[in-house]
Amino acid sequence: MSTTDTIRTEVIIAGGGMVGLSLGLALAQAGIATVVIDGLPPSTIRDAAFDGRVSSFAAASCRMLEALGVWEQLKPDAQPVLDIVVGDGSVRDGASAALLHFDHREIGNEPLAHMIENRHFRLALDDRARALPPLTLIAPARVLACTAGTNSICATLSDGRTIEGQLCVAADGRDSPLREAAGIKTQGWSYHQTGIVATIEHERPHQGVAQELFLPSGPFAILPMTGNRSSIVWSERSDLAPAFLRLPEDQFLAEVGQRFGDQWGKLALAGPRWSYPLTMHLAMSYLAPRFALAGDAAHGVHPIAGQGLNLGLRDAAALAEVIVDARRLGLDVGSSVVLSRYEGWRKFDNALFAASMDALNRLFSNDIAPIKFARRAGIDVVDAIAPLKRFFMRQAGGVTGGVPKLMRGEPL
Ligand SMILES: Cc1cc2nc3c(=O)[nH]c(=O)nc-3n(C[C@H](O)[C@H](O)[C@H](O)COP(=O)(O)OP(=O)(O)OC[C@H]3O[C@@H](n4cnc5c(N)ncnc54)[C@H](O)[C@@H]3O)c2cc1C
């Protein structure tokens, strides 16, 4: 195909990250011609050093992975989370000030979540995409511009090609150049915190326990991975984080040990350290003519409860459902009537979630005595009232609210 060809399709997705490609699979499985364009070369996502983060997939997201046909490939690398312990302060000398304990048996036998390495997820999505004919994956290439007309929208790629479709979805990440180009404003702020991420090997097994420790400079999460490994997401003040990141390995491990404690024996670093600035942002609108935002392009939340990707997957599931329903009714899938259903479904839910994560981070990232007292009192109430605790567990599992079909494990 020459670079001057115009490719015709139904849906164009700019950004083949975890959200964009999931949406592409959902649409292609329902027989909708879709083109996904991503800026990264396929060899990069196949590199073992690609994206050191691990994501927690809520029960509803795991159902979606099954419906998308990627779960079988991911299962051997997915670590079930059986218990979540929330603590106030670090786990020094094995004695955590445990405040809340969520046990998966309280809401049935399903694990509370699964931890999956981002690189494994990207790879499984990529493999599935290449085996699904209604989906065309173009990478590496960037979408430079989208021009909406009355009946179609045209995307111009960095390699000179153009793609014409009925709708363009921007799933191009938190800095979303296409959101900017569409003139959609965002609201948000920096937490002045940096997320330090690393994989830690420990002597003894973690038994599927995830821990969220609230320290004055920010939350410190210990997330179980397969084997005797855990991923840490250490939210640290941004003025202090660079010094921690530069420390020699033994001193860095000593700092991790101060927070992690000796609960699982000797610690070792199993891979590089990564860092991410922590910010919150919400797009003021999710729509422009024949154009919609999904995933981090639409919202970014503090990783305190590991829900950013889960929200993005929910966007993808809802948008796919809206598009497939519209197509069955013979409607124009890029029309404002159709897209407004998606925005109405997801925008409020995402804003509410971002606000809750923001409040949690503010409540816990300090050592002021009256606030410490208030949060302990609040947590004691949650821990003592079983139905309230179950409510929070179901919320975290993504099984409350307007759950899209794919997240209920139903086909579109
Ligand atoms: C420290 C940390 C820990 C986290 N932990 C969790 C967790 O445990 N659970 C969870 O649910 N979430 C977690 N998150 C959030 C989660 O990582 C993000 O919400 C998720 O990666 C968003 O996916 P996305 O596909 O929307 O965007 P991205 O992953 O940013 O993907 C965007 C894609 O678009 C491509 N792109 C950009 N511009 C263009 C263009 N012009 N043309 C074509 N392609 C383009 C890029 O190459 C990229 O592949 C965490 C975040 C951080 C910072």
Side-chain angles (χ1 to χ4, degrees), residues 13-21 37-40 50-51 53-57 115 118 122 141-144 171-174 176-178 195-197 223 233 276-278 294-297 299-301 303 305-312:
I13 301 174
M18 297 188 281
V19 172
L21 212 43
I37 306 103
D38 196 78
L40 291 177
F50 173 69
D51 199 341
R53 283 175 298 174
V54 174
S55 296
S56 70
F57 287 76
M115 301 304 310
N118 287 3
R122 279 286 294 255
R142 301 185 70 75
V143 177
L144 299 180
D172 50 349
R174 67 183 187 141
S176 180
L178 294 176
I196 301 174
V197 178
L223 308 165
V233 182
Y276 303 89
L278 303 183
D296 274 19
H299 46 79
V301 301
Q307 292 296 326
L309 174 60
N310 288 292
L311 295 180

Side-chain angles (χ1 to χ4, degrees), residues 112-404:
L112 295 170
H114 281 84
M115 301 304 310
I116 300 173
E117 292 175 51
N118 287 3
R119 63 194 179 92
H120 287 147
F121 185 41
R122 279 286 294 255
L123 204 59
L125 291 173
D126 198 69
D127 287 348
R128 179 89 180 110
R130 288 172 198 284
L132 210 55
L135 182 63
T136 306
L137 181 56
I138 300 179
R142 301 185 70 75
V143 177
L144 299 180
C146 291
T147 316
T150 316
N151 299 313
S152 64
I153 185 161
C154 193
T156 309
L157 307 197
S158 51
D159 64 9
R161 280 187 275 186
T162 50
I163 309 181
E164 198 179 294
Q166 282 173 266
L167 163 68
C168 178
V169 180
D172 50 349
R174 67 183 187 141
D175 296 327
S176 180
L178 294 176
R179 180 187 65 215
E180 287 252 314
I184 299 175
K185 300 262 177 288
T186 58
Q187 262 188 334
W189 45 80
S190 164
Y191 287 108
H192 306 293
Q193 287 173 335
T194 296
I196 301 174
V197 178
T199 302
I200 305 291
E201 226 162 51
H202 32 83
E203 265 178 321
R204 292 194 290 277
H206 46 55
Q207 318 279 11
V209 178
Q211 299 179 59
E212 184 79 77
L213 309 170
F214 290 108
L215 308 181
S217 51
F220 185 91
I222 305 173
L223 308 165
M225 296 171 72
T226 48
N228 281 2
R229 298 182 307 150
S230 292
S231 170
I232 56 160
V233 182
W234 168 5
S235 307
E236 186 51 78
R237 273 171 41 192
S238 288
D239 54 333
L240 303 178
F244 285 121
L245 285 160
R246 277 196 306 268
L247 284 177
E249 191 167 319
D250 55 335
Q251 289 176 35
F252 179 76
L253 269 175
E255 287 292 340
V256 170
Q258 286 270 323
R259 293 151 179 88
F260 202 107
D262 64 357
Q263 51 182 331
W264 296 326
K266 204 168 172 318
L267 307 180
L269 206 52
R273 302 162 222 182
W274 311 73
S275 69
Y276 303 89
L278 303 183
T279 57
M280 199 277 260
H281 68 268
L282 293 170
M284 306 291 279
S285 164
Y286 282 15
L287 308 178
R290 297 195 171 276
F291 180 87
L293 300 176
D296 274 19
H299 46 79
V301 301
H302 195 284
I304 192 166
Q307 292 296 326
L309 174 60
N310 288 292
L311 295 180
L313 291 176
R314 210 176 245 244
D315 294 347
L319 184 52
E321 192 170 324
V322 165
I323 293 172
V324 171
D325 285 353
R327 182 139 156 309
R328 280 197 189 117
L329 293 171
L331 301 175
D332 173 355
V333 301
S335 69
S336 59
V337 178
V338 171
L339 296 180
S340 299
R341 188 181 156 214
Y342 162 65
E343 188 183 48
W345 193 345
R346 296 300 306 140
K347 195 170 163 220
F348 179 70
D349 190 22
N350 286 330
L352 195 65
F353 206 93
S356 324
M357 294 307 104
D358 186 71
L360 261 186
N361 183 52
R362 281 172 206 278
L363 182 64
F364 281 97
S365 296
N366 68 68
D367 229 1
I368 303 166
I371 295 181
K372 238 176 136 172
F373 175 78
R375 75 185 177 219
R376 282 212 166 216
I379 279 176
D380 285 347
V381 169
V382 174
D383 205 30
I385 304 173
L388 199 55
K389 215 169 142 186
R390 283 198 290 274
F391 169 76
F392 281 116
M393 288 164 88
R394 291 210 176 88
Q395 282 275 103
V399 291
T400 56
V403 184

